[in-house]
Amino acid sequence: MVVYPFSLSEEEWRAKLTKEEYRVLRQNGTERYGRGEFCTFFPRTGFFSCRACDHPLYSAASKFQDDGWDAYSMCFHTGTRPHVGLRDGAEVCCNNCGSHLGHVFRSHESTTSQRQ
């Protein structure tokens, strides 16, 4: 089991997050296609952070239009440690708290030149 720098008990996670946030972030749930809060939100400045632990994940400039879920071309790094990681080859997670952020859809990588 991976140990992350930021951790809470399951009881503390449930108190901190809404039911839907807990389902997606802590139980690896999926938002409905095209319905995510940030699907159509493209700020020019700033950054996106983990909803669970507030760790900065992606710059606003790295976000791009995709098929219905948020998509980013590159994450932040501290030294050589990326702020976003992969579990089981396709599940995207926060490297600070381990929260589920989504999935990499390999079928899209070859057709979307912005992915890195």
Side-chain angles (χ1 to χ4, degrees), residues 13-86:
W13 282 123
R14 287 182 190 276
K16 178 179 175 61
L17 303 169
T18 67
K19 282 185 178 186
E20 179 66 2
E21 289 169 346
Y22 184 84
R23 184 186 72 78
V24 172
L25 295 166
R26 305 307 302 171
Q27 297 180 316
N28 304 337
T30 301
E31 292 179 317
R32 290 184 58 211
Y33 177 81
R35 302 282 188 229
E37 176 180 354
F38 298 111
C39 284
T40 59
F41 180 63
F42 292 90
R44 293 178 186 226
T45 61
F47 60 91
F48 294 91
S49 59
C50 176
R51 182 65 64 106
C53 71
D54 296 322
H55 195 60
L57 302 174
Y58 305 101
S59 72
S62 73
K63 188 167 192 264
F64 63 93
Q65 186 69 44
D66 201 37
D67 291 337
W69 283 286
D70 295 350
Y72 305 88
S73 60
M74 189 178 303
C75 71
F76 287 133
H77 286 73
T78 299
T80 60
R81 182 174 167 80
H83 290 205
V84 173
L86 284 180

